[in-house]
Amino acid sequence: MASSSGRSWRDGMSSDNIKGLVLALSSSIFIGASFIVKKKGLKKAGASGVRAGVGGYSYLYEPLWWVGMITMIVGEIANFAAYAFAPAILVTPLGALSIIISAALAHIILREKLHIFGILGCVLCVVGSTTIVLHAPQEREIGSVIEVWELATEPAFLFYAALVMTIAFILIFHVIPEYGQTHIMVYIGVCSLVGSLSVMSVKALGIAMKLTLSGTNQLIYPQTWAFTLVVITCVLTQMNYLNKALDTFNTAVVSPIYYVMFTSLTILASVIMFKDWDRQNPTQIVTEMCGFVTILSGTFLLHKTKDMGDGTCCTTSLSMRLPKHGDDDDSALEGIPLKRQESLRSPRSP
């Protein structure tokens, strides 16, 4: 059993996987910290101007907010680069670590209390991430973007891509107009489905950039630009509907659902396109899935207890919620579309 674990470690932690791991961890640190810096900037800007939650843009003149934005951009670049070195099944779940960084810094810097179950959630995320890292598949050797294109045009992945686009179009043109404002899964479904394709394209583009920088120019191939077009289209669509979800539903509800759906579909897409599991035995695959479920459990606990102060959800302070459309939203309305919340609130004296 010990030798099997040793083989798993040696097989999984190749030089490229280590580079991808370091980049993914760096990305989580930068992105997690950026939320706190931007929030500090928003608070500072809101104290002297119109708050962003009510349509103000005074934060654009706040240097601290721009520091947070630049930090986030650096984190996203690191995340982009990580996909060029490591499989998506390793990189994508590690995004949960940014939630831990954000929660820990919010506890220290913003004085937002972290419930004991929130700490347990952080521990579960770390344990799950470590499990995945130790058993992640080795990145396959790819010498040209043409090889990635061949993987993307195999029948199995073409079927997956066609299925994703069909479901996305049905949701966008038939379901969203009627149910978008009342069913949280509609917007998040579009984001997650399209997001799985965007990650595969980002990985292809990252591989092309890595090979180009190492001396093998991939910019001469039309496939590189085709992947670039897919990335731009998918990311814009993804961001559009994610913003709609965040604007309609409570962030505390959107975030964990989106993370679960996006990560699950991304892993599925990677398994189909890059055949990650073909290079692993059943024990490693089951262990990775257990690690992923552990991360999901930790993420759920973190978000479920984020508004619990001093051990009870009944004493939650308004300052810890900070919803987008005002500070007076009731926790009982969490998960209900904001437009419907207005009609459910009882009148309050000024």
Side-chain angles (χ1 to χ4, degrees):
M1 193 72 171
S3 62
S4 174
S5 299
R7 284 195 300 272
S8 173
W9 169 265
R10 289 193 296 271
D11 292 341
M13 295 307 290
S14 64
S15 174
D16 277 353
N17 271 24
I18 292 174
K19 292 175 184 175
L21 172 62
V22 171
L23 286 167
L25 292 175
S26 301
S27 171
S28 294
I29 293 172
F30 279 110
I31 292 175
S34 73
F35 287 124
I36 305 305
V37 177
K38 286 204 298 180
K39 191 167 183 178
K40 291 280 284 185
L42 287 170
K43 282 186 173 182
K44 191 174 179 182
S48 58
V50 181
R51 289 181 53 209
V54 292
Y57 294 95
S58 58
Y59 61 86
L60 294 175
Y61 302 97
E62 175 54 50
L64 193 58
W65 184 86
W66 282 106
V67 170
M69 178 57 69
I70 292 171
T71 304
M72 175 172 281
I73 291 172
V74 171
E76 293 295 349
I77 292 174
N79 191 54
F80 174 88
Y83 282 110
F85 293 98
I89 198 171
L90 169 62
V91 176
T92 307
L94 291 181
L97 296 180
S98 65
I99 301 174
I100 298 177
I101 300 296
S102 181
L105 291 178
H107 179 75
I108 297 171
I109 299 175
L110 300 178
R111 306 300 183 199
E112 295 182 359
K113 295 181 181 179
L114 189 61
H115 191 268
I116 184 65
F117 287 119
I119 297 175
L120 177 60
C122 292
V123 172
L124 287 174
C125 286
V126 171
V127 171
S129 299
T130 303
T131 303
I132 290 178
V133 167
L134 294 179
H135 296 84
Q138 195 172 38
E139 177 74 338
R140 67 186 298 153
E141 294 292 331
I142 295 179
S144 169
V145 73
I146 302 296
E147 294 181 37
V148 184
W149 182 263
E150 291 173 352
L151 291 171
T153 53
E154 287 188 358
F157 188 75
L158 285 178
F159 175 77
Y160 173 80
L163 183 62
V164 163
M165 288 188 289
T166 300
I167 297 174
F169 276 120
I170 292 173
L171 290 175
I172 291 171
F173 294 108
H174 295 284
V175 181
I176 284 179
E178 187 171 355
Y179 300 105
Q181 296 295 310
T182 56
H183 291 71
I184 191 172
M185 297 300 291
V186 179
Y187 286 139
I188 296 180
V190 175
C191 296
S192 303
L193 288 165
V194 176
S196 68
L197 296 181
S198 72
V199 169
M200 296 303 100
S201 300
V202 162
K203 183 170 179 62
L205 196 56
I207 291 171
M209 293 298 102
K210 180 181 72 171
L211 293 172
T212 299
L213 293 174
S214 64
T216 308
N217 188 9
Q218 302 296 303
L219 302 180
I220 60 175
Y221 298 113
Q223 287 86 348
T224 300
W225 301 105
F227 281 126
T228 303
L229 182 62
V230 173
V231 168
I232 294 172
T233 304
C234 289
V235 168
L236 289 177
T237 303
Q238 191 178 352
M239 290 299 99
N240 178 45
Y241 288 99
L242 180 58
N243 286 333
K244 288 178 183 292
L246 291 171
D247 189 55
T248 306
F249 302 95
N250 193 296
T251 306
V253 180
V254 172
S255 297
I257 297 176
Y258 176 58
Y259 174 80
V260 171
M261 288 189 66
F262 170 70
T263 306
S264 300
L265 288 171
T266 297
I267 290 175
L268 176 61
S270 181
V271 167
I272 295 173
M273 180 171 169
F274 291 97
K275 302 175 178 60
D276 294 327
W277 286 347
D278 288 359
R279 305 182 296 280
Q280 293 190 290
N281 59 50
T283 302
Q284 290 172 311
I285 295 172
V286 171
T287 304
E288 286 171 6
M289 289 298 95
C290 290
F292 179 49
V293 171
T294 304
I295 292 177
L296 296 186
S297 303
T299 304
F300 174 80
L301 270 179
L302 264 174
H303 282 279
K304 196 67 177 176
T305 61
K306 68 189 288 290
D307 288 339
M308 292 184 180
D310 298 327
T312 172
C313 61
C314 299
T315 59
T316 304
S317 65
L318 292 176
S319 62
M320 290 171 63
R321 295 192 188 122
L322 291 172
K324 298 181 299 305
H325 294 281
D327 290 330
D328 59 347
D329 293 84
D330 297 317
S331 59
L333 298 177
E334 189 172 284
I336 301 176
L338 292 175
K339 291 182 180 178
R340 291 176 56 202
Q341 288 180 18
E342 295 298 329
S343 63
L344 294 175
R345 290 194 184 94
S346 58
R348 298 181 183 181
S349 57

